[in-house]
Amino acid sequence: MGVRSAASGARASTPSPASAATSAAARVARTLEWQIATVTAITTETARAKTFTLELPAWRAHRAGQHYDVRLTAEDGYQAQRSYSIASEPERAGEVDLTVELISDGEVSAYMHEVLVPGDRIEVRGPIGGYFVWEASDPGALGLVAGGSGVVPLMAMLRHRAAAGGRQPAVLLYSARIADDVIYAGELERIAAAQDGVRVVRTLTRGAPEGWTGYTRRIDAEMLREVLGPLGAEVRVFVCGPTLLVESVADALVGIGVPAARIKTERFGPTGS
Ligand SMILES: Cc1cc2nc3c(=O)[nH]c(=O)nc-3n(C[C@H](O)[C@H](O)[C@H](O)COP(=O)(O)OP(=O)(O)OC[C@H]3O[C@@H](n4cnc5c(N)ncnc54)[C@H](O)[C@@H]3O)c2cc1C
């Protein structure tokens, strides 16, 4: 799209003074106000995924699993708006990381990948979402199931668990097409090696390198039983990724006996991987 400036025509919202008396309604209203973030860093995660660090004038601590909306405005006033999950932990004040996968011909993801550079300003609002969220104080084991960029909000949960000193057992089951598509690969290896209660299991659906020890097929009921079974009956499961993956995983989880009330899902888009 012919975007003149990501922040064009927008006004930054004014941070309200923190006050114990601030009502929940006022907090929601502020969350829905647009503000102008500054891109302070862009990190290449994979050939198709980049992390954008955004400094926020009206930063508010988010809950792991929430997202921000990004809005672009073109010369002629045309606007495109998309949601991006927060990848960073809430303990990091003043800024958030968004990890965006490049979608071929995608309006907003392509702009972010191909046009944005550090120092640019971009219009965002958030943090948004109160359902697909996890707090380190939540009891019970944590089962995380991701497809592709669906790993982003689940990474926020793992980072939050680490920053808050959470001790509950956790497993991340992460499906990617090929090894080079695995986002946060190095950090996930370090998390798994730390042996502090987090297990990382990967599955590749389009070919694995020699010596690969993970799974090599789409996530199915048998895999879910093997990977999540050891977490026990009290597990809370978060599933995120392309719509088809999320729906098939949610069905399979119910099929292996996980109560629907313990499964939370977030769908990123129309296609499957
Ligand atoms: C709550 C929420 C959180 C999200 N968090 C993230 C995130 O953390 N990282 C991230 O990369 N994306 C995330 N998404 C998806 C994101 O909002 C956009 O849908 C995605 O970036 C495509 O937007 P686009 O403008 O680039 O493509 P569009 O111009 O909207 O679409 C271009 C083409 O790609 C197809 N398409 C659209 N979305 C997808 C998709 N997700 N996968 C494959 N094909 C698609 C369209 O059908 C169309 O054919 C999230 C979505 C939701 C609802």
Side-chain angles (χ1 to χ4, degrees):
M1 69 188 295
V3 176
R4 162 181 69 192
S5 150
S8 106
R11 286 179 298 115
S13 61
T14 310
S16 305
S19 152
T22 304
S23 70
R27 281 199 300 276
V28 169
R30 284 208 314 276
T31 282
L32 294 177
E33 280 174 17
W34 293 94
Q35 59 176 309
I36 309 296
T38 302
V39 180
T40 54
I42 300 177
T43 308
T44 298
E45 304 282 0
T46 69
R48 298 188 69 81
K50 286 184 181 177
T51 294
F52 299 84
T53 301
L54 306 182
E55 190 180 79
L56 296 159
W59 178 86
R60 275 180 299 280
H62 60 275
R63 301 171 75 195
Q66 287 189 302
H67 67 272
Y68 269 78
D69 286 342
V70 170
R71 183 166 73 179
L72 307 180
T73 304
E75 290 285 359
D76 61 2
Y78 170 79
Q79 292 188 320
Q81 180 182 320
R82 301 288 184 271
S83 302
Y84 292 102
S85 298
I86 304 162
S88 44
E89 66 279 19
E91 288 77 8
R92 227 173 89 193
E95 59 182 23
V96 292
D97 282 347
L98 306 181
T99 301
V100 178
E101 183 183 22
L102 176 64
I103 302 291
S104 305
D105 302 325
E107 236 171 15
V108 175
S109 63
Y111 176 87
M112 292 182 74
H113 271 252
E114 290 156 16
V115 180
L116 274 190
V117 292
D120 280 352
R121 299 184 334 136
I122 186 165
E123 203 178 10
V124 301
R125 67 176 181 184
I128 297 171
Y131 168 75
F132 193 82
V133 293
W134 179 78
E135 307 275 358
S137 55
D138 289 349
L142 182 61
L144 306 173
V145 184
S149 57
V151 72
V152 176
L154 309 186
M155 195 65 189
M157 294 177 191
L158 289 179
R159 287 169 168 165
H160 172 46
R161 178 186 176 281
R167 303 309 309 164
Q168 50 281 81
V171 173
L172 169 66
L173 173 58
Y174 178 7
S175 174
R177 294 175 191 188
I178 57 172
D180 284 349
D181 283 350
V182 173
I183 304 171
Y184 316 127
E187 188 175 346
L188 289 175
E189 272 174 28
R190 286 193 295 279
I191 288 174
Q195 298 194 318
D196 83 334
V198 181
R199 188 168 164 236
V200 177
V201 181
R202 290 163 301 164
T203 184
L204 300 180
T205 57
R206 298 206 185 160
E210 236 180 271
W212 177 254
T213 54
Y215 290 100
T216 52
R217 62 179 198 270
R218 285 173 180 238
I219 297 173
D220 55 28
E222 189 191 342
M223 194 187 296
L224 289 166
R225 195 181 291 112
E226 286 170 5
V227 175
L228 299 183
L231 293 176
E234 300 299 300
V235 65
R236 288 160 196 267
V237 188
F238 291 82
V239 187
C240 186
T243 302
L244 289 179
L245 175 143
V246 170
E247 287 172 359
S248 83
V249 168
D251 287 348
L253 285 168
V254 171
I256 65 168
V258 180
R262 294 196 158 271
I263 305 168
K264 291 190 174 176
T265 60
E266 181 120 288
R267 295 158 175 77
F268 269 11
T271 60
S273 67

